[in-house]
Amino acid sequence: MDKNKFAARRGPSNEAVQVVVRCRPMNAKELANGFKKVVDVHPSRGVIEILNPRDDGKERKKSFTFDAVYDAMSTQEELYNETAHPLVSSILDGFNGTIFAYGQTGTGKTYTMEGSKPDPSQKGIILRSFDQIFNYISRSKNMQYLVRTSYLEIYQEEIRDLLSKDRRKTYELREAAGIGVYVKDLSSFVCKSAKEIEHVMYVGNQNRSIGATNMNDHSSRSHAIFMITIEMSDTDSFKKIIRVGKLNLIDLAGSERQSKTGATGERLKEASKINLSLSALGNVISALVDGKNPHIPYRDSKLTRILQDSLGGNSKTIMVANIGPASYNYDETLTTLRYANRAKNIKNKPRVNEDPKDALLREYQMEIARLKEKLRLMKELEEKKELLAREKYASEKLEMKIRAMESKLLCGGKNIIDHTNEQQRALEQQKQEIAERKKREVEMRQKLELQEESALEIRDTYTTLQQEVDYKTKKLKKLFARLQSIKQEIHDVTEEFNADRRDLEAAQNELLKDLKVRYLVIDNFIPADEKNKLLLRVRFDESDGSWYLLPLVPDNIVTVKRPVSSGGERRPVSDYGRVAIRLGRSHRYQGENILNLDLEPHPRTTSDYTGPIIAPKIHALLEEAMREEDDLDVDAAPLSNINFGARAKQSRKDREKEKLLKGNKARKKSSDLSSQSGNFLSTPPSTPPLFPKPRGLIPK
Ligand code: ADP
Ligand code: MG
């Protein structure tokens, strides 16, 4: 293989799909059957030659050149290192990549993709890619990776999740800007090691076989797609750009022509569906290679839609075409080689996927950052709590210290507060005592003064007579002055009393006047019994000195109570209602609870209307006037000819006869109308018509 050629195609723009062909060795059965080998593989030139076993060497060998070809001697490691390894490296740079194995059943697709266990040297592309991915990640520095896997199967055009417990559930494809085509609700598992991802693959493979009657049959008729999504971001750079590499590892269904002959029911359906996906793949490849039609029929099948990016889009793609060497496979091998040869020309445009919308890594990073922030806050909180506890402890300690110190300030076994309180109380008592003492002092002083006065008096009595006269004159004067003032006071009081009396008298007069007026009004304008009623109701309230009227309904009248219904209920209740109450149901608003009372007709007090008696002549005239329009004889003859009297006398029988005759006439007339215009009624043409003539039909 020209390895440089492959390396040169790792550039960013237009990159062709890599097509490698692998021819498996002849198996024991083939060897035993002595089948001829018709395929020649030339790995050094990338050439495959195939000889038609049917024409015994007359025809020239068909030769096909590919990016790389692998013969029976090639090892799994060789194939991986030369083809898949560079592609997986690209995935780790943020490119999309697809490796799919195409070929007839039994040619080694599964062997190529998965390998055969348990020999590690037999590991296929999938397992080797796991190793490469996780080795690369473990060696990388300052990078963060998130590896997710999904595993799905397309069987009979239905997508099933091989990692979901529900094997019956089918999944739909969706397309979104920035994401591309994806399987909606497909489960995905985050893997942290090659072991984990291997386990995921193993679980998926187990699921693949469930429900299949024949595992080989099933796997040859279904497409298995193992998806690895690697999200990566530089932890060092300031702006953390996320890149995503997606790797699709596909083990396609057998490309052999599904024989429809004899296939019925489920088998036929299955055959047609397998053909549908693979023929759609062929059509997509053809359309891409042809390039004439811009429309690529990706939507024709689930497989082509999933491979949309891998074929002609943003992906690096490797197609491994598996062939068998034996002569009996010639036709299928040739078909595969032609198919693969065409696929070589598909041009892809791979580019690094930066900042995709569905990056889980970003979400994880953000979540981690959020959690870290939370953790930091929690730590801070914890620290604060600790500080608080320490402070609390310190304050408690301080408090204890204060209490201890306070206890030291105790006086005579009492603490300082109690002591002060007691002192305060003693002080107040003393103050009170002082006040009382003062009061007593004053009293004593007053007593002393009085005693002094009387003593003085006694002393005075027993001194000189002159002094006594003087003293008594003085006293008399004093008393006289007092008498005078008292007299004046009496006069003043009398004067005041008289004035008050006068005022009161005046007011009394006014009131009497008013009362007289009121009495006059009462006597002259209020009926005596009404007055008496009011007088009976009027009362004087001694407490506030005012008059008031008793309520209109005297208290002694007993208020009429609601009659109680026979059942003791507040309202009359029907028997039904009572039963309903006993049964705990509502008895109200029930149809059975409503009484229908028919109104009794009132005796009639009026008589029927009887018309006035009309003279027979007038009656006849009125009848004539009230006759129906049909009965009117429209006569064009002069009015004088109409004899009202005679018409009135005409019997009903006659009139009916006349009507019949007229009807015949009218019918006859309508038939004659086309030829005889104007002669509408049976009047002679000479007499002028009373009504305007109809124009009739215009003769042609
Ligand atoms: P497919 O998946 O295309 O139907 P398998 O991968 O099941 O084919 O291969 C059929 C058989 O051939 C398996 O037993 C496998 O081990 C064997 N086989 C296929 N390719 C090779 C190879 N290159 N070297 C050795 N054995 C192979
Ligand atoms: Mg297989």
Side-chain angles (χ1 to χ4, degrees), residues 123-148:
K123 275 189 189 177
I125 290 170
I126 298 176
L127 290 170
R128 283 171 196 272
S129 71
F130 296 165
D131 290 339
Q132 188 188 341
I133 290 163
F134 286 100
N135 276 336
Y136 183 87
I137 289 171
S138 65
R139 275 186 276 109
S140 69
K141 277 179 192 157
N142 307 323
M143 286 291 285
Q144 255 181 347
Y145 292 91
L146 184 84
V147 182
R148 285 184 281 156

Side-chain angles (χ1 to χ4, degrees), residues 258-508:
Q258 301 289 326
S259 137
K260 283 181 196 168
T261 46
T264 52
E266 200 63 16
R267 276 303 217 172
L268 184 70
K269 195 174 136 195
E270 193 185 54
S272 62
K273 290 236 168 113
I274 289 161
N275 280 346
L276 179 100
S277 254
L278 282 174
S279 61
L281 183 66
N283 293 341
V284 165
I285 292 170
S286 297
L288 283 166
V289 172
D290 185 29
K292 281 177 194 155
N293 192 349
H295 172 73
I296 313 295
Y298 293 115
R299 286 179 176 267
D300 283 3
S301 77
K302 298 264 157 70
L303 179 72
T304 46
R305 277 208 85 193
I306 289 177
L307 290 178
Q308 191 164 327
D309 250 348
S310 312
L311 303 163
N314 170 26
S315 176
K316 288 168 179 276
T317 302
I318 295 169
M319 174 180 176
V320 182
N322 290 95
I323 53 169
S327 54
Y328 72 100
N329 282 333
Y330 173 79
D331 289 340
E332 287 296 344
T333 304
L334 191 64
T335 310
T336 302
L337 289 172
R338 281 187 176 140
Y339 206 95
N341 201 41
R342 247 188 310 157
K344 281 194 311 193
N345 301 312
I346 299 171
K347 296 278 189 293
N348 282 346
K349 296 174 196 73
R351 58 170 190 275
V352 172
N353 302 309
E354 277 188 351
D355 279 318
K357 282 184 180 161
D358 58 341
L360 203 64
L361 188 66
R362 170 88 70 226
E363 266 174 50
Y364 278 26
Q365 278 176 343
M366 273 157 69
E367 182 66 8
I368 287 165
R370 200 181 63 81
L371 289 172
K372 270 186 182 165
E373 178 64 14
K374 210 172 166 183
L375 197 72
R376 189 184 64 79
L377 286 172
M378 274 169 85
K379 264 188 192 159
E380 268 182 29
L381 208 76
E382 206 68 26
E383 273 170 22
K384 272 184 189 162
K385 259 190 193 169
E386 219 170 88
L387 199 79
L388 212 73
R390 252 185 280 144
E391 270 175 12
K392 201 181 167 193
Y393 177 71
S395 71
E396 269 174 10
K397 234 172 136 181
L398 211 71
E399 217 171 281
M400 267 163 67
K401 212 170 168 181
I402 290 167
R403 243 181 270 142
M405 274 168 79
E406 274 176 356
S407 68
K408 276 179 197 163
L409 286 171
L410 280 177
C411 298
K414 293 170 200 160
N415 70 33
I416 201 154
I417 297 161
D418 288 347
H419 187 68
T420 355
N421 282 347
E422 227 164 75
Q423 278 187 337
Q424 195 75 28
R425 243 177 280 134
L427 208 71
E428 270 166 28
Q429 218 174 329
Q430 275 174 3
K431 267 185 195 167
Q432 211 175 326
E433 265 174 36
I434 289 165
E436 266 173 34
R437 215 174 287 166
K438 262 188 186 166
K439 209 174 146 193
R440 255 182 280 142
E441 241 172 68
V442 170
E443 275 171 2
M444 273 163 76
R445 201 167 288 152
Q446 279 171 350
K447 263 185 197 168
L448 210 71
E449 264 175 26
L450 266 174
Q451 275 174 1
E452 265 179 17
E453 210 172 300
S454 57
L456 202 76
E457 243 174 76
I458 292 159
R459 236 185 289 143
D460 284 352
T461 320
Y462 295 105
T463 48
T464 61
L465 211 66
Q466 187 56 43
Q467 269 178 329
E468 197 187 331
V469 170
D470 286 348
Y471 173 76
K472 281 194 173 161
T473 316
K474 222 164 118 186
K475 206 172 181 179
L476 201 70
K477 270 181 188 168
K478 231 177 170 180
L479 286 168
F480 185 74
R482 200 183 273 177
L483 181 75
Q484 289 302 318
S485 73
I486 286 165
K487 266 186 183 171
Q488 184 62 45
E489 218 177 292
I490 290 165
H491 178 259
D492 288 352
V493 167
T494 321
E495 277 296 294
E496 216 173 293
F497 172 76
N498 285 340
D500 282 352
R501 197 185 158 146
R502 274 195 303 276
D503 283 351
L504 280 166
E505 274 171 357
Q508 195 187 22

